[in-house]
Amino acid sequence: MKDPIKRSQLMYILEAGLEYLISILVAGAYLAKLTASIGISDEITGILSSVIALGHLFQLGSIFIRPKRSKSFVVIFSVINQLLFMALYLIPGISIPKEIKSALFVVVILSAYILYNLAHPKKINWLMSLVDDKIRGRFTSIKEIVSLVMGIVFTMAMGAVIDHFEAKGEVQMAFILCAITIFAITVLHTLTMLLSVEKEQSAPAKKGSAVFAVLKDKNILKIALIFALYYASTHSAVPFYGTYQTKELGFSMFFISLLSFLGSGVRIAFSFLLGNFADKRSFSVMLRLCMAFLGAAYFFNIFATPANGKLMFTIYTILQGVAMAGCNSALINLVYDYVEVERRADAIAVTQAVSGVVGFMTTLAISPLISLIQKQGGLFGMNFYAQQAASFIAFAFCGATILYITAAFGRKAKK
């Protein structure tokens, strides 16, 4: 491709997809498989997952790192963090005491996420700077669609591979193949970044002045609050839905898988439509619309019980899929709509750090309420499930987010 900008945009789409594939292999059920093989308890695995979510805090550290060129910095940090992810699949096969193996696993995974979060804001700012403002909505939607499709195919393939070797009693071989897969993806991911160009940047600001400028920028603070409200809504209910589906509602794993595929399909179907809508109207208008769909999704789950659970969660999955087709894109693009070019990487760091902390603290705050309702079978003499109350809280946060976006940016966003 002769046009370096067009080539770089294509590489960015592939980069995002490849990075998503690696993230699948170091989270959720795959992380649980690894920790179980080492002998790390479910409780510690849960705590580890929560601490990983707090890794967004380390994005604040990127404010203090002012490289002359972002590209080389991002490439180096990305290669190291992905090789550390690869190492996670080699640790179970090392012949060392269980305690040392567990400690090594924790150190490696935390180090990988720290490096990832230090580089992430600068990577997003570098690659998004190559996308014309007029097509950011459509571009980010295409990027998300490609990642989702790649993720669906990849998850099915890797799941089949692991199941095959587990059935033969050769779990270590499955782990080795996962490590090889991560290494191959790392090579391809690195190539996508090396083939991407970097626009000339103004001289990096001094560390102190950069931090002061971020704290002084009212638009950054407004956007950070939107991130906070959004993550408060998702983390007040979604973390508790897993046990609700398998225990109280009695869903089979097959039905839960069907819901997952349905959600991904809806996101793919609506992603480009919402991206095009954002380019024509604005990302703040699109975010308000998506939050309305998300609020409606939580509203239906307020009434989810064992008698109607499958229907309510199907409706929730469809509405949530529509919302998620635009939410992530809108949040990041608000930074590009309202923040000056030289402060965008720092703004991304601040908003991501806020989201990680708020998400973690919200789940922590809601947990005692969940336990109380489960013990008492309801509150104030009313019988209902704990997750119904959590859904109501999430619904209220969605409403608050819509009101705040309208108050902060009005009904028409800056073009």
Side-chain angles (χ1 to χ4, degrees):
M1 197 175 289
K2 293 181 179 180
D3 186 343
I5 298 296
K6 291 288 185 184
R7 184 189 69 230
S8 299
Q9 290 173 357
L10 175 60
M11 290 300 107
Y12 184 20
I13 291 170
L14 293 175
E15 182 276 333
L18 292 167
E19 186 176 78
Y20 179 54
L21 300 187
I22 292 178
S23 73
I24 289 172
L25 287 178
V26 292
Y30 294 94
L31 177 62
K33 287 277 185 191
L34 279 171
T35 55
S37 71
I38 294 171
I40 298 174
S41 68
D42 289 349
E43 182 182 0
I44 298 299
T45 300
I47 293 171
L48 187 60
S49 297
S50 298
V51 172
I52 289 169
L54 273 177
H56 287 305
L57 263 178
F58 288 100
Q59 293 197 22
L60 290 175
S62 71
I63 297 176
F64 299 92
I65 302 172
R66 322 302 293 182
K68 290 182 179 179
R69 307 287 289 181
S70 294
K71 180 175 176 176
S72 55
F73 169 78
V74 170
V75 170
I76 292 168
F77 271 55
S78 294
V79 169
I80 296 172
N81 90 64
Q82 288 169 358
L83 290 178
L84 287 172
F85 283 143
M86 181 192 75
L88 295 175
Y89 279 95
L90 301 177
I91 291 174
I94 302 175
S95 299
I96 53 177
K98 173 189 165 184
E99 293 77 14
I100 298 176
K101 192 180 292 189
S102 298
L104 178 62
F105 185 90
V106 171
V107 169
V108 170
I109 194 168
L110 290 181
S111 299
Y113 275 107
I114 288 170
L115 292 175
Y116 169 82
N117 282 293
L118 286 174
H120 185 70
K122 288 179 169 49
K123 186 194 78 174
I124 295 296
N125 189 51
W126 157 37
L127 295 174
M128 280 297 290
S129 71
L130 303 172
V131 181
D132 191 289
D133 285 347
K134 295 177 182 177
I135 61 165
R136 271 192 282 115
R138 281 163 286 175
F139 179 85
T140 50
S141 67
I142 292 170
K143 180 164 65 73
E144 181 165 288
I145 289 169
V146 171
S147 293
L148 285 170
V149 172
M150 289 173 67
I152 290 170
V153 175
F154 183 76
T155 301
M156 292 175 65
M158 294 307 296
V161 168
I162 291 175
D163 288 344
H164 171 74
F165 283 101
E166 263 194 324
K168 293 173 65 177
E170 299 176 0
V171 178
Q172 288 302 322
M173 179 57 70
F175 287 165
I176 291 172
L177 286 175
C178 286
I180 293 170
T181 300
I182 292 177
F183 180 78
I185 295 172
T186 298
V187 172
L188 295 174
H189 182 260
T190 305
L191 282 174
T192 63
M193 292 190 290
L194 291 175
L195 292 172
S196 299
V197 297
E198 183 178 14
K199 288 184 176 180
E200 289 294 328
Q201 303 177 60
S202 55
K206 293 180 180 179
K207 297 173 187 177
S209 63
V211 176
F212 184 69
V214 169
L215 295 176
K216 238 174 56 166
D217 194 313
K218 291 181 180 178
N219 282 333
I220 293 178
L221 298 180
K222 285 180 182 179
I223 295 167
L225 185 51
I226 292 173
F227 269 77
L229 288 168
Y230 168 73
Y231 275 84
S233 71
T234 57
H235 284 73
S236 56
V238 176
F240 307 104
Y241 281 166
T243 55
Y244 192 42
Q245 290 174 324
T246 56
K247 292 182 180 178
E248 287 89 347
L249 300 182
F251 292 174
S252 66
M253 290 306 293
F254 177 72
F255 184 72
I256 292 172
S257 297
L258 284 180
L259 289 178
S260 177
F261 280 111
L262 175 63
S264 296
V266 172
R267 282 183 71 174
I268 290 168
F270 280 86
S271 189
F272 189 79
L273 290 174
L274 287 170
N276 193 45
F277 175 83
D279 286 335
K280 291 178 179 178
R281 295 290 301 277
S282 76
F283 286 98
S284 66
V285 172
M286 191 252 270
L287 183 57
R288 276 209 313 271
L289 177 63
C290 290
M291 291 307 297
F293 275 102
L294 190 58
Y298 292 129
F299 179 79
F300 276 96
N301 270 355
I302 295 173
F303 305 100
T305 64
N308 62 18
K310 286 188 175 181
L311 174 62
M312 290 302 174
F313 259 88
T314 299
I315 296 172
Y316 160 80
T317 300
I318 293 170
L319 292 172
Q320 195 245 13
V322 176
M324 296 310 296
C327 279
N328 293 330
S329 168
L331 287 167
I332 288 296
N333 277 293
L334 280 179
V335 173
Y336 285 83
D337 273 351
Y338 290 97
V339 179
E340 298 299 325
V341 173
E342 64 273 10
R343 287 203 286 273
R344 285 174 180 172
D346 297 337
I348 292 169
V350 170
T351 52
Q352 293 288 322
V354 166
S355 67
V357 173
V358 170
F360 178 77
M361 296 304 293
T362 301
T363 303
L364 207 62
I366 297 292
S367 294
L369 176 64
I370 297 292
S371 298
L372 177 64
I373 294 173
Q374 286 177 334
K375 287 177 183 176
Q376 297 186 354
L379 282 177
F380 311 118
M382 295 184 291
N383 293 322
F384 55 85
Y385 292 98
Q387 286 84 353
Q388 290 178 285
S391 297
F392 177 79
I393 294 170
F395 170 73
F397 272 122
C398 287
T401 307
I402 293 169
L403 291 174
Y404 180 72
I405 294 170
T406 304
F409 298 116
R411 292 191 174 273
K412 290 184 180 180
K414 179 180 179 182
K415 288 287 184 182

